[in-house]
Amino acid sequence: MKVLVIGATGTIGSAVAQALEASRHQVVEASRRGPVKVDIEDPSSLDALFDEVTDLDAVVCCAAGGPLVDLESVTDEEMAAGVRGKLLGQVALVRRAARRLRDGGSITLTGGTFVTPLAGGSLGALVNTGLEGFVRNAADELPRGLRVNLISPGWIRETLESMGADGSEGTPVSQVAQAYVTAVEGTAQGRTVRP
């Protein structure tokens, strides 16, 4: 399969690209700074991407991130920007990919899951819950046998270690990457997967 990985320079994205290549897929890596450029917060950037990269079987988005914010002091503008990036950016991606993927193609998005409430995590909870609802419903609306799923990891071991924290509280990125490969290659539709 020909698979577009957006956010391919990040911790998860680079691991997903490697795992897909190891499974013998043709991978096109895109990011804000890579040779194939895209910014999911910019709809015109998404349009240009799909004009440049064609004949795709699957799209994987690992570019979605969001800040921790203090609910008492965060501004309306900061909240709107957080929703615009991770939630609305991925929604815009799905809408465009649905018009460009081959029949039966797959779209895999990135959310997030935390077992207990996280200080500063209200914006993330809003966005991630929104993504889950969107994927569940959009799965029923997509044409031509297209599939959409959401990978929703918690902390990544390597990310925790890079922050100087105990990595044992996180999931190894290789395990998370395999969840994306399974979503691309499998038959699941409208699911949220928590590796």
Side-chain angles (χ1 to χ4, degrees):
M1 281 192 273
K2 184 175 180 182
V3 185
L4 172 64
V5 177
I6 298 174
T9 56
T11 301
I12 294 175
S14 60
V16 169
Q18 289 173 7
L20 286 164
E21 286 170 347
S23 295
R24 301 184 193 269
H25 296 291
Q26 177 188 354
V27 176
V28 177
E29 299 181 12
S31 66
R32 287 181 177 157
R33 295 178 298 280
V36 178
K37 295 197 183 316
V38 67
D39 180 348
I40 66 168
E41 294 183 36
D42 177 1
S44 65
S45 170
L46 291 170
D47 292 333
L49 173 67
F50 284 108
D51 287 342
E52 178 182 350
V53 182
T54 59
D55 301 319
L56 290 166
D57 298 292
V59 174
V60 175
C61 183
C62 302
L68 295 176
V69 297
D70 178 63
L71 194 55
E72 268 189 75
S73 62
V74 66
T75 67
D76 292 339
E77 292 78 21
E78 290 168 327
M79 288 293 282
V83 170
R84 213 172 19 257
K86 187 173 182 180
L87 176 60
L88 297 181
Q90 289 190 95
V91 169
L93 173 65
V94 169
R95 292 178 48 244
R96 284 156 177 82
R99 295 191 296 263
R100 304 290 188 100
L101 284 175
R102 291 181 177 147
D103 291 357
S106 168
I107 306 164
T108 307
L109 305 180
T110 297
T113 298
F114 297 97
V115 179
T116 58
L118 175 67
S122 294
L123 173 59
L126 168 69
V127 168
N128 294 328
T129 301
L131 282 167
E132 289 184 25
F134 171 75
V135 164
R136 188 171 44 252
N137 202 83
D140 195 53
E141 295 183 49
L142 290 175
R144 302 180 294 107
L146 297 175
R147 298 180 302 107
V148 63
N149 292 289
L150 178 69
I151 306 300
S152 193
W155 286 109
I156 305 298
R157 175 177 292 169
E158 290 79 357
T159 300
L160 287 171
E161 290 171 351
S162 73
M163 295 166 43
D166 179 6
S168 68
E169 297 293 319
T171 305
V173 74
S174 61
Q175 185 177 331
V176 173
Q178 193 55 50
Y180 286 86
V181 173
T182 300
V184 168
E185 296 177 341
T187 59
Q189 170 66 306
R191 291 200 46 223
T192 296
V193 178
R194 295 177 173 85

